[in-house]
Amino acid sequence: MTDTAYWCERAWLPDAIAPRVLVRAGAGGTITEVSFVDTPPLGAIRLRGLVFPGFANAHSHAFHRALRGRTHGAGGTFWTWREGMYRLAERLDPDGYLRLARAVYAEMAVAGIACVGEFHYLHHGPGGARYADPNAMGEALRRAAADAGIRLTLLDTCYLAGGIGKPLAGTQPRFGDGSVAAWAERLAGMREDATTRIGAAIHSVRAVPADALPDLVAAAPPDRPLHVHLSEQPAENEACLAAYGRTPTELLHDAGALSARTTAVHATHLREADIDLLGGAGVTACLCPTTEADLADGLGPARALADAGCPLALGSDQHAVVDPFAEARALEHGERLRTGRRGHFTPADLVTAATAGGHASLGWPEAGRIAEGAPADLVAVRLDSPRTAGVLPEQALFAATASDVDTVVIGGRVVACDGRHVLLGDVGRLLTEAIGELWR
């Protein structure tokens, strides 16, 4: 790849929005120059509207995308939705997962997402039978992200129990390795590459017994992210208190699982002491507002977590929508609904959560900013659409949607333009075909 120049009508730089910004991407896909030029130089690609850094989706379950628009008729709760998720999981094999994940990651790319954190627990075949390659499902995700042109942090997930004190049952043997040692051995077979980093995840305190947590923490890659589902449901807290006499946060703290490399996903139903523990350890809180609303999970204490010292990140989780603008707005809107007051997070706070905060939680701290040395990830958003016309550029995040993304550059190359994936074509067709095959 040769050097490429992009001329931005406006760009969201680390300190301010600036007009007429020239960004040069080197052969390695990183930014080599950010300067101010009144007119586009010869050969530069013009990016219209307001250019953001690439967004990070810090929490994804790619296969859940096949449930969108299929779970609402019967109502219910998170727990009834989970039964539908298990039925879907039964249908997937490595080839089908590759097709589905490729389409899902392409949808993310078109929406401006440059990096995804895949919380990956669908490891094995039906009944828990191992594939010839024990990481075949993870390799499908790696290939899917590469095909879609986005970076991947594969958060390989340890899943040992069907609930506190319960064995794996039904679909769950597909998720489990039997022990921390067996999980760690399989994880050791995964290799990083230029666009893939390998992290670890504790599925939850429901799925990993308390006595296994310290061993899991010790076995996880020491310089890579460690993610965990935390207190998404009150029932999880109640079961944990009944079994261990501690909240899930306290249990993780006692096991040494809370540190600056840890990301707590959801963190919805927390006590004040839990928030203090998370903030004191510098744990990132990854909220997934559209999923938490769709599954009736509740409103996480985003402002309190941030005030306690937790960096914030955002994820689309089960992909009720794939829209980083919607997730960022919902972070603020949740606080408004809780308090009856506006203005808990500034637009800059929300952009940071959607970009640099998410990238850091996924082990890419150099990403998520338009600056020399950062990956050349640029997301041009129109300011003249029916949604964004007339907005102040600094408040565009509160009006734009993924449909307003005009051009997406990841690692220095254009991967999407005018709502179409440059490498893969019509994303709607890809999704229709992949999801149709699963439900046929």
Side-chain angles (χ1 to χ4, degrees):
M1 190 175 96
T2 59
D3 289 9
T4 309
Y6 296 94
W7 189 82
C8 311
E9 291 181 348
R10 297 180 182 85
W12 191 288
L13 301 183
D15 297 324
I17 294 174
R20 299 178 294 280
V21 177
L22 181 69
V23 178
R24 292 192 183 276
T30 61
I31 296 174
T32 58
E33 177 188 340
V34 178
S35 58
F36 305 95
V37 180
D38 284 338
T39 57
L42 184 65
I45 297 172
R46 182 172 186 148
L47 299 180
R48 297 189 297 164
L50 174 59
V51 178
F52 290 93
F55 296 106
N57 186 348
H59 189 68
S60 164
H61 301 294
F63 77 93
H64 292 188
R65 172 62 179 84
L67 291 171
R68 184 190 295 177
R70 291 176 174 267
T71 64
H72 303 283
T77 65
F78 166 85
W79 304 103
T80 52
W81 169 88
R82 189 177 70 160
E83 293 305 312
M85 182 269 287
Y86 285 164
R87 289 192 292 272
L88 170 61
E90 286 287 357
R91 295 171 175 261
L92 282 160
D93 60 19
D95 290 339
Y97 206 5
L98 170 60
R99 289 188 291 271
L100 176 61
R102 180 192 289 130
V104 175
Y105 294 157
E107 182 181 11
M108 292 183 195
V110 170
I113 292 166
C115 183
V116 60
E118 185 64 33
F119 200 103
H120 170 52
Y121 58 84
L122 183 52
H123 301 303
H124 307 300
R130 274 34 176 181
Y131 292 109
D133 174 359
N135 286 307
M137 297 294 264
E139 289 299 330
L141 293 165
R142 181 204 300 268
R143 181 176 165 189
D147 289 350
I150 68 175
R151 292 187 299 279
L152 169 71
T153 296
L154 188 69
L155 299 160
D156 196 284
T157 304
C158 188
Y159 197 121
L160 302 178
I164 296 177
K166 298 178 181 180
L168 299 175
T171 307
Q172 293 171 337
R174 296 198 69 175
F175 311 155
D177 289 296
S179 68
V180 169
W183 166 77
E185 181 180 4
R186 185 179 51 73
L187 176 61
M190 299 292 292
R191 293 289 179 264
E192 297 189 341
D193 57 41
T195 59
T196 307
R197 292 184 180 167
I198 306 298
I202 303 164
H203 180 273
S204 60
V205 299
R206 291 181 285 111
V208 180
D211 59 3
L213 286 170
D215 290 341
L216 191 162
V217 173
D223 58 346
R224 287 292 182 250
L226 176 66
H227 286 220
V228 57
H229 289 136
L230 179 65
S231 294
E232 182 176 5
Q233 289 289 318
E236 175 183 312
N237 291 352
E238 293 162 6
C240 188
L241 284 164
Y244 304 121
R246 288 167 284 176
T247 67
T249 301
E250 290 169 337
L251 196 68
L252 293 167
H253 174 265
D254 292 347
L258 302 184
S259 71
R261 72 177 177 128
T262 308
T263 293
V265 181
H266 301 304
T268 306
H269 301 281
L270 301 176
R271 296 178 175 181
E272 186 173 340
D274 296 331
I275 294 172
D276 290 341
L277 284 175
L278 295 169
V283 171
T284 295
C286 176
L287 285 84
C288 307
T290 63
T291 285
E292 288 146 9
D294 183 70
L295 298 182
D297 286 344
L299 295 171
R303 186 65 259 174
L305 285 162
D307 289 343
C310 291
L312 299 182
L314 294 165
S316 64
D317 194 355
Q318 53 121 356
H319 317 304
V321 298
V322 172
D323 188 333
F325 303 97
E327 301 293 350
R329 277 196 297 277
L331 194 68
E332 165 68 18
H333 290 169
E335 292 297 311
R336 294 182 184 185
L337 290 169
R338 185 201 314 281
T339 66
R341 183 173 57 83
R342 307 173 84 200
H344 297 268
F345 294 103
T346 67
D349 292 335
L350 299 177
V351 170
T352 297
T355 57
H359 281 101
S361 82
L362 297 177
W364 304 86
E366 69 275 25
R369 56 198 175 91
I370 300 176
E372 291 184 18
D377 302 335
L378 308 170
V379 181
V381 176
R382 292 181 54 182
L383 296 180
D384 61 353
S385 78
R387 292 159 296 278
T388 60
V391 305
L392 296 172
E394 60 269 25
Q395 296 186 31
L397 190 78
F398 281 98
T401 71
S403 297
D404 299 310
V405 173
D406 183 70
T407 305
V408 180
V409 178
I410 302 175
R413 66 173 177 171
V414 176
V415 300
C417 191
D418 295 326
R420 185 176 179 84
H421 199 283
V422 170
L423 308 173
L424 298 174
D426 180 7
V427 175
R429 174 185 57 79
L430 292 174
L431 287 162
T432 299
E433 292 175 353
I435 294 170
E437 287 178 9
L438 285 175
W439 293 116
R440 189 169 295 134

